[in-house]
Amino acid sequence: MTSEITSPSRRQIAKGAAWAVPAVTVAAAAPSLAASSEACPPGTLQITPNCPGLLSTDSLYFTITNPGSSGCTMPTGTQITVDRGGLAGVQVGPLNNLNAGVDLLFTDANTAELTAPLEPGESIDIRIFPRGLANVSVLQNVTVSAGGSTVRQGYTIVTLLGLSVAICGLG
């Protein structure tokens, strides 16, 4: 029994290549599809108030987090609102000056937009009452809203010689 070894014809090679090209194209597209994510549905973001300790040089700020498990991206342009009010207080200054360097752009005194997407596991801080910018803020409250999530925090803060006395929950 003898077997002959024959080389493939040009037609067989072309047929094999035609089947291989779509497989290569699909395989090349798969990683980019896996890396893309959709915009987060309303209520995905977690907003956490971070009140300074009773005697502190820290400031009142909020952390806005896109949870690592969300699988979605909060897109550039997402609106964030900061509403402040209460019984008595001294204006603490424009929030855009207080939050310089973060991925926010304040379009007015209470409204900001993300200037970069907030990917899963990422967070940003919004400073509300930085040390040294105000002397007294009594029975105040601030509400921060972003991407369908909202948190309200009451506070009383008095700053004297760079040391703040803060009581959160009152306001």
Side-chain angles (χ1 to χ4, degrees), residues 85-103:
L87 179 63
V90 175
Q91 185 67 22
V92 297
L95 290 173
N96 55 340
N97 293 339
L98 307 179
N99 291 287
V102 296
D103 294 330

Side-chain angles (χ1 to χ4, degrees), residues 35-45 66 70-78 114 117-120 147:
S36 67
S37 62
E38 22 183 278
C40 294
T44 300
L45 295 180
N66 182 357
S70 73
C72 60
T73 298
M74 195 55 69
T76 299
T78 298
L114 288 177
L118 195 60
E119 301 290 340

Side-chain angles (χ1 to χ4, degrees), residues 150-164:
T150 300
V151 169
R152 181 180 183 278
Q153 176 66 55
Y155 63 93
T156 293
I157 298 178
V158 177
T159 301
L160 181 61
L161 299 175
L163 183 65
S164 295

Side-chain angles (χ1 to χ4, degrees), residues 84-155:
R84 296 175 287 176
L87 179 63
V90 175
Q91 185 67 22
V92 297
L95 290 173
N96 55 340
N97 293 339
L98 307 179
N99 291 287
V102 296
D103 294 330
L104 292 172
L105 174 64
F106 277 83
T107 55
D108 62 35
N110 298 336
T111 308
E113 292 181 355
L114 288 177
T115 59
L118 195 60
E119 301 290 340
E122 293 182 342
S123 63
I124 59 170
D125 292 336
I126 297 180
R127 304 234 169 255
I128 304 298
F129 189 98
R131 175 177 69 85
L133 289 181
N135 294 325
V136 178
S137 203
V138 179
L139 296 177
Q140 297 289 292
N141 58 68
V142 62
T143 302
V144 175
S145 300
S149 300
T150 300
V151 169
R152 181 180 183 278
Q153 176 66 55
Y155 63 93

